[in-house]
Amino acid sequence: MQDQAARAIALSLSHASWRARVQHAVLATDEVSVTALAGRAGNGLQSTLAAADRRIAAAKGLDAGAGSLLRLRLGNHAMRGALSAGTAPWVAPATADEDATIVVAYDSRGRAHTLDARHAPARPVYVVDIDGSKALAAGLDVLNRQLRRYGLASAAPAPTADAAGRPQVQAATGGFWTTRITAVELSNDEEPWIKGDAEIYTLVTGFGQDGKVRVDPVDMPYLDNDGTVYRPGQILVNWSNYKYDLADAVMMEEDGSTNYRDLAKAIATALLTITDQGAYVPLVNAVLDAIPNDWWTDDPDYVDSWYTLASSDNGTRYGARGNGWMTVEPYFVQGF
């Protein structure tokens, strides 16, 4: 669908006024909502792109209201000079394959050209990509709802009652312990120039207060690039949700192949067979086994995993895959 959209956009650039409008938009911002831009042009391209948006949302298991996901960006910052000077741009679909060696781009006549995926060309190339942040936010909403539907998001502990049977309200000074990420870095892997920023999320798993397996997705929108240390101060685990003082974390990357409804179903199928035996059971392997086999082919969906995180952990923990590390600390969230 991205490939079809790329070819349609390339063909539309044969019109000088539209080509100038796209150039101005691309040079003015990092990413352009190309479907919306085409809607203001009245050139017929908008209906093609809107249909592609709907098919992409359906393929990713997103709700119909997800909106436009297609984005247009310049493949490399160094291309800005040639584009500004009037060099005719080509258009290419983004790839999620870190091992890609070639990129196919289209010119304004619809002809395909093969480019080196490792070395950005001098000619400017517009890249048709999916808005990863928007897709991930919508996808995690779907994932949360589906996990609750399958019973993988356990309810909060029931309130205690006083002698008269009245529910007791938590004291105003109450709060809960969490594990907070103070620093995190992923390994610096060589990637094709056409591949956009990563969109990372983590599945935190453990046994809920009701003794059932639960999964808590955590969005990590700041983790864009490998080889960069981020210091988010983000809460990873809310220990009040868990029965045991141990939890696992599986870090994933959103890309074009992720279908969140399929992911929720696969995880539920694997985890609902695991029962509370009165002691903590690691759940990382069960989550990894649940990932559809085709996601392992040319797609970096699985990033890394951390076994047996404890509420007392304070320091650097390296991922089991060796692809990243996190520095964590206990953090108490004080109630009002």
Side-chain angles (χ1 to χ4, degrees), residues 68-332:
S68 175
L69 295 173
L70 286 172
R71 292 294 183 269
L72 196 71
R73 57 179 169 82
L74 197 58
N76 185 287
H77 184 78
M79 299 175 180
R80 295 176 64 89
L83 182 63
S84 300
T87 303
W90 292 345
V91 186
T95 177
D97 182 3
E98 293 184 353
D99 298 322
T101 58
I102 62 171
V103 172
V104 176
Y106 299 98
D107 63 24
S108 59
R109 294 184 179 180
R111 297 174 300 189
H113 303 268
T114 300
L115 302 175
D116 187 336
R118 294 295 172 184
H119 301 92
R123 174 182 291 274
V125 177
Y126 293 153
V127 178
V128 178
D129 206 349
I130 293 174
D131 186 336
S133 296
K134 187 175 182 179
L136 180 56
L140 292 185
D141 184 55
V142 169
L143 185 60
N144 270 310
R145 292 202 311 270
Q146 292 296 312
L147 290 174
R148 286 196 298 269
R149 175 189 166 200
Y150 288 116
L152 288 177
S154 56
T160 57
D162 60 16
R166 296 182 298 248
Q168 291 181 320
V169 179
Q170 184 182 32
T173 57
F176 54 91
W177 280 101
T178 70
T179 289
R180 183 168 69 170
I181 303 171
T182 58
V184 58
E185 180 185 18
L186 301 181
S187 297
N188 187 11
D189 297 325
E190 186 179 3
E191 294 181 347
W193 57 269
I194 199 169
K195 190 176 184 296
D197 290 340
E199 299 294 342
I200 302 295
Y201 62 101
T202 295
L203 303 176
V204 178
T205 64
F207 288 92
Q209 295 284 0
D210 56 5
K212 298 178 181 178
V213 173
R214 67 174 288 139
V215 179
D216 293 301
V218 179
D219 192 1
M220 308 177 86
Y222 51 88
L223 257 176
D224 289 334
N225 300 301
D226 293 345
T228 301
V229 177
Y230 296 91
R231 304 183 185 279
Q234 182 185 28
I235 291 174
L236 180 66
V237 186
N238 175 353
W239 291 104
S240 68
N241 290 331
Y242 293 91
K243 177 179 179 179
Y244 299 109
D245 186 25
L246 292 173
D248 296 333
V250 179
M251 188 178 287
M252 306 284 289
E253 180 182 355
E254 145 68 28
D255 61 36
S257 73
T258 307
N259 182 299
Y260 291 94
R261 294 181 190 275
D262 288 349
L263 177 60
K265 182 178 180 180
I267 290 175
T269 300
L271 297 188
L272 287 175
T273 62
I274 301 174
T275 59
D276 182 10
Q277 302 295 322
Y280 181 73
V281 177
L283 300 173
V284 168
N285 291 350
V287 173
L288 297 182
D289 289 342
I291 297 173
N293 290 334
D294 63 310
W295 288 19
W296 298 98
T297 306
D298 296 331
D299 285 323
D301 300 88
Y302 168 51
V303 178
D304 215 326
S305 51
W306 284 261
Y307 291 78
T308 59
L309 291 169
S311 62
S312 60
D313 283 352
N314 193 349
T316 300
R317 291 285 307 269
Y318 290 89
R321 190 185 182 190
N323 195 39
W325 56 265
M326 293 189 294
T327 300
V328 297
E329 66 177 6
Y331 181 74
F332 187 74

